């Protein structure tokens, strides 16, 4: 009888489905967390330089670069560089509770603090070899970036371009608030003081500070001291000060916030438009040699949208009053149907006097002898700064109609600068989410498993088709004013500007790492909360 039972036992086992005999499937949450940690250890312990990062690396680390080629002693702050990596580490820490991510964020913060200027701001990059090395970079690699004129001159000051200083300050604010750690307070206070000091009395900000006037490019004046909207310079500073007001609770921030918002009213032209830079007389001004003095439909649409936001912050109807003027100007400057290109409905630049499109072209092949010029021809446009743009005019109209219908009380219901005491659970430091980007893209399990499986044996997420540049070989020598590079992203072999690599070469990419980590974090959050994005 006993023998029969044993035989029946083995027969039943062999009759079970094959899947039940294989190793159990690893829990998806554990897989995600293991993958995230493996990838992060590689980035922190193998890739980083003193806790900081550039954008791309060759797998053998023989070359590395941010927006331009970088020395091995350099890190980049622009997205997707060191600041974005720091923000990501905090997000991973919140999602997993693993202290390793907080330690990685601390390392990124230490690198950022090391590179803070004595005035309190930051440049695009940090060179741990010091100014002597950085000046050498500007006089060689930077100088030969034909279209990257912001890198052709060493200013020795800090920039608000591309949200550099404001986002570095925001990350330090997050690090301070994470554990109310006083170790971060000196660098944070210095950054706040820098942003407050650099604001013009009228409320706007220059692109760079302390002010410099020492670099002109082929007859174009130094634009770095102009009032600047380009790349959200003014808005991002206002945004950061609002975040400081919310979390630190200091009323001293209200005046610069309000002056910053009022500057949008002061700077709007009578026709309803804005330039992306304005001189001290509040006139549209040029910047880089392919950015003529002109009004910009894209800037006008963005600023009009901000006026609607400011009405919701303040309940002040002055912020509504001029939006129709901006809408009317955008309607008037839309391209005829036969000149529009799909969603590109407007010229990038509009002459401030004639209201006619202005198109930019270039001749030559390098920074030393090539040049940009403007005319009214919409053919053979630049690829790196296209002459026609998308303007979401219908969305602006609909948003204006929606918000204009609200009373001041209704509009300001959720205003971040509304007076009154803090009425949420806990403290302001723990309540507000200060992440610059809301990466809410939903991830399915299929996407997650693809990301997990794409991490290679070296714990790397390798990417193809990076923006790469020619290695520095010296200044441009070709004086021929060829049209060969008119619509190209890059010039000849002496141009150190980046271009898209179309080969199958693989790269270590901070952008790829950030993207994959965000998707894994998003799935992890939804899974832990009992819901999925299937």
């Amino acid at each position: 009888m006993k023998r029969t039972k044993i035989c029946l036992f083995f027969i039943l086992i062999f009759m079970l489905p094959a899947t039940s005999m294989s190793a159990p499937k690893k829990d998806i949450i554990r897989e995600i967390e293991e993958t995230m940690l493996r990838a992060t250890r590689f980035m922190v312990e193998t890739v980083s330089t003193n806790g900081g990062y550039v954008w791309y690396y060759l797998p053998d680390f023989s070359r590395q670069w941010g927006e331009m080629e970088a020395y091995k002693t350099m890190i980049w702050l622009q997205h997707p560089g060191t600041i974005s990596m720091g923000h990501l580490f905090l997000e991973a820490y919140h999602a997993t509770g693993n202290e390793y991510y907080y330690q990685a964020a601390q390392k990124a913060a230490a690198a950022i603090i090391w590179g803070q200027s004595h005035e309190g701001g930051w440049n695009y990059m940090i060179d741990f070899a010091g100014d002597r090395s950085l000046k050498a970079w500007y006089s060689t690699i930077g100088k030969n970036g034909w279209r990257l004129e912001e890198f052709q001159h060493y200013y020795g000051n800090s920039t608000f371009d591309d949200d550099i200083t404001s986002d570095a300050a925001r990350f330090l604010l997050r690090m301070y608030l994470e554990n109310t750690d006083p170790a971060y307070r000196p660098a944070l206070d210095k950054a706040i003081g820098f942003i407050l000091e650099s604001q013009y009395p009228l409320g706007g900000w220059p692109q760079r500070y302390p002010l410099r006037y020492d670099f002109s490019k082929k007859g174009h004046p130094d634009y770095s001291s102009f009032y600047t909207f380009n790349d959200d310079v003014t808005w991002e500073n206002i945004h950061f000060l609002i975040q400081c007001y919310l979390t630190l609770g200091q009323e001293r921030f209200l005046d610069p916030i309000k002056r910053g918002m009022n500057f949008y009213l002061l700077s709007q032209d009578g026709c309803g438009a804005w330039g992306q830079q304005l001189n001290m007389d509040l006139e549209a001004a040029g910047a880089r040699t392919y950015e003529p003095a002109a009004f910009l439909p894209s800037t006008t649409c963005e600023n009009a949208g901000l006026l609607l936001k400011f009405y919701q912050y303040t309940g002040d109807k002055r912020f509504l009053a001029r939006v129709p003027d901006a809408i009317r100007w955008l309607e008037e400057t839309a391209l005829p149907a036969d000149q529009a290109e799909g969603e590109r409905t407007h010229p990038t630049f509009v002459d401030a006097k004639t209201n006619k499109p202005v198109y930019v072209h270039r001749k030559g092949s390098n920074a030393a002898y090539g040049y940009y010029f403007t005319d009214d021809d919409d053919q053979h446009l630049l690829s790196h700064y296209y002459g026609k743009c998308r303007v979401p005019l219908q969305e602006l109209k609909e948003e204006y109609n929606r918000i204009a219908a609200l009373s001041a009380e209704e509009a300001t219901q959720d205003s971040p600068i509304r007076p009154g005491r803090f009425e949420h659970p806990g403290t302001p430091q723990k309540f507000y989410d200060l992440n610059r980007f809301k990466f809410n893209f939903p991830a399915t399990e299929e996407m997650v498993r693809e990301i997990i499986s794409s991490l290679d044996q070296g714990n790397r997420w390798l990417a193809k088709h990076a923006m790469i540049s020619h290695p520095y070989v010296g200044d441009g020598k070709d004086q021929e004013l060829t049209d060969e590079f008119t619509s190209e992203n890059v010039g000849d072999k002496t141009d150190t500007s980046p271009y898209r690599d179309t080969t199958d070469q693989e790269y270590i990419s901070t952008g790829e790492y950030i993207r994959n980590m965000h998707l894994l974090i998003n799935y992890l959050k939804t899974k832990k909360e009992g819901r999925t994005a299937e």
Side-chain angles (χ1 to χ4, degrees):
M1 185 69 181
K2 191 173 183 180
R3 179 185 174 91
T4 305
K5 284 183 178 179
I6 292 172
C7 289
L8 285 172
F9 173 75
F10 281 106
I11 290 169
L12 288 171
I13 285 179
F14 285 114
M15 287 176 65
L16 289 173
T19 53
S20 67
M21 294 292 291
S22 60
K25 253 188 179 180
K26 192 184 288 185
D27 177 69
I28 186 69
I29 290 180
R30 196 173 73 184
E31 274 195 277
I32 290 171
E33 291 183 341
E34 288 177 357
T35 301
M36 287 170 58
L37 191 57
R38 286 172 54 203
T40 301
R41 285 191 182 280
F42 172 73
M43 296 300 290
V44 173
E45 297 168 20
T46 302
V47 176
S48 77
T49 300
N50 290 354
Y53 306 82
V54 296
W55 295 1
Y56 289 104
Y57 306 79
L58 284 176
D60 64 359
F61 295 102
S62 58
R63 288 185 72 199
Q64 62 184 51
W65 57 100
E67 191 164 13
M68 297 186 75
E69 185 169 7
Y71 295 158
K72 294 185 185 300
T73 54
M74 294 169 70
I75 62 173
W76 226 258
L77 295 187
Q78 285 165 291
H79 178 74
T82 302
I83 303 170
S84 298
M85 291 288 280
H87 283 302
L88 183 277
F89 293 143
L90 287 180
E91 294 301 305
Y93 174 57
H94 295 158
T96 65
N98 190 326
E99 285 288 329
Y100 187 82
Y101 296 110
Y102 181 68
Q103 293 163 6
Q106 287 180 306
K107 291 175 182 178
I112 290 167
I113 291 171
W114 193 96
Q116 187 177 25
S117 72
H118 68 273
E119 295 94 355
W122 285 268
N123 193 19
Y124 297 98
M125 74 290 283
I126 294 168
D127 191 338
F128 288 104
D131 278 359
R132 181 174 59 184
S133 175
L134 193 55
K135 287 177 181 177
W137 183 91
Y138 271 95
S139 66
T140 53
I141 294 171
K143 178 184 174 184
N144 285 283
W146 188 11
R147 61 183 176 83
L148 296 175
E149 294 170 17
E150 61 271 35
F151 295 118
Q152 291 180 0
H153 175 70
Y154 175 81
Y155 280 101
N157 61 2
S158 300
T159 185
F160 292 115
D161 187 39
D162 286 342
D163 199 16
I164 301 297
T165 289
S166 48
D167 203 32
R170 179 181 295 110
F171 175 60
L172 293 185
L173 177 61
R174 290 187 74 189
M175 290 299 294
Y176 168 68
L177 297 176
E178 189 64 39
N179 295 304
T180 325
D181 187 345
Y184 292 104
R185 196 61 192 257
L188 172 61
D189 285 344
K190 194 159 83 166
I192 291 171
F194 178 83
I195 291 172
L196 294 175
E197 180 184 326
S198 58
Q199 185 181 26
Y200 281 120
L202 288 182
W205 274 270
Q207 188 199 59
R208 302 190 71 101
Y209 192 82
L211 301 178
R212 298 284 189 270
Y213 309 95
D214 57 346
F215 181 61
S216 60
K217 177 75 173 175
K218 296 180 179 176
H220 289 248
D222 191 324
Y223 59 89
S224 63
S225 64
F226 291 164
Y227 295 106
T228 304
F229 292 116
N230 188 23
D231 285 329
D232 290 326
V233 164
T234 297
W235 161 240
E236 285 298 348
N237 283 335
I238 296 171
H239 185 199
F240 171 70
L241 293 177
I242 289 173
Q243 292 176 322
C244 288
Y245 175 71
L246 289 173
T247 55
L248 304 178
Q250 299 172 8
E251 288 197 345
R252 68 186 178 118
F253 296 117
L254 284 177
D255 176 67
I257 289 168
K258 290 176 180 177
R259 283 192 291 118
M261 292 190 295
N262 284 334
F263 182 70
Y264 283 77
L265 297 176
L266 295 173
S267 58
Q268 187 179 15
D269 188 79
C271 69
W274 283 270
Q276 65 178 353
Q277 291 85 214
L278 307 175
N279 62 25
M280 295 301 101
D281 294 321
L282 299 182
E283 299 167 331
R288 291 171 292 189
T289 55
Y290 47 85
E291 294 172 317
F295 294 138
L296 276 78
S298 57
T299 300
T300 297
C301 189
E302 290 164 8
N303 286 3
L306 285 170
L307 291 184
L308 298 178
K309 185 188 293 286
F310 299 157
Y311 173 62
Q312 293 176 285
Y313 286 176
T314 65
D316 187 340
K317 289 189 178 293
R318 292 181 306 140
F319 292 114
L320 290 178
R322 295 294 312 282
V323 175
D325 293 338
I327 290 172
R328 187 161 43 251
W329 183 83
L330 290 169
E331 289 174 333
E332 292 172 356
T333 54
L335 290 167
D338 61 344
Q339 292 181 27
E341 299 178 12
E343 292 188 336
R344 297 180 185 270
T345 56
H346 286 71
T348 298
F349 301 107
V350 175
D351 187 277
K353 295 179 180 177
T354 66
N355 240 24
K356 301 292 186 184
V358 176
Y359 296 107
V360 184
H361 309 276
R362 71 180 184 181
K363 280 188 175 291
S365 62
N366 58 71
Y369 297 103
Y371 69 91
Y372 291 87
F373 64 96
T374 61
D375 59 25
D376 59 1
D377 182 5
D378 72 342
Q379 301 299 305
H380 308 296
L381 299 174
L382 304 176
S383 59
H384 69 81
Y385 205 113
Y386 202 66
K388 299 176 184 181
C389 65
R390 177 185 180 273
V391 173
L393 180 54
Q394 186 58 36
E395 288 94 324
L396 176 62
K397 291 178 180 179
E398 291 172 0
E399 187 70 353
Y400 170 73
N401 290 333
R402 183 184 72 83
I403 292 176
L406 301 175
S407 68
E409 185 176 353
E410 291 170 326
T412 59
Q413 186 173 358
D414 298 318
S415 169
I417 59 172
R418 188 176 185 178
R421 65 185 179 87
F422 181 75
E423 297 178 344
H424 302 284
T427 65
Q429 290 79 14
K430 297 299 181 185
F431 179 77
Y432 293 107
D433 179 8
L434 303 187
N435 208 349
R436 179 190 177 201
F437 295 113
K438 301 296 183 187
F439 194 98
N440 296 323
F441 190 81
T444 64
E445 183 170 337
E446 182 183 1
M447 293 168 62
V448 165
R449 293 203 177 278
E450 184 179 340
I451 291 170
I452 291 172
S453 64
S454 66
L455 191 73
D456 72 6
Q457 293 289 322
N459 297 323
R460 307 171 303 178
W461 279 308
L462 296 177
K464 297 179 181 178
H465 311 310
M467 291 295 289
I468 192 172
S469 66
H470 300 307
Y472 172 68
V473 295
D475 293 350
K477 293 181 170 51
D478 187 355
Q479 299 184 40
E480 180 189 358
L481 295 179
T482 177
D483 290 326
E484 181 183 354
F485 302 99
T486 296
S487 296
E488 295 297 315
N489 212 33
V490 72
D492 63 26
K493 294 292 185 181
T494 63
D495 184 5
T496 53
S497 304
Y499 62 92
R500 183 71 62 188
D501 178 7
T502 58
T503 72
D504 286 332
Q505 170 67 53
E506 293 184 313
Y507 301 92
I508 298 166
S509 163
T510 53
E512 185 75 4
Y513 166 80
I514 290 170
R515 171 192 171 276
N516 288 343
M517 286 287 288
H518 271 304
L519 287 168
L520 294 181
I521 288 168
N522 286 354
Y523 188 85
L524 197 62
K525 287 179 179 177
T526 58
K527 195 74 173 175
K528 287 181 175 180
E529 292 167 3
R531 50 192 175 81
T532 62
E534 304 303 329

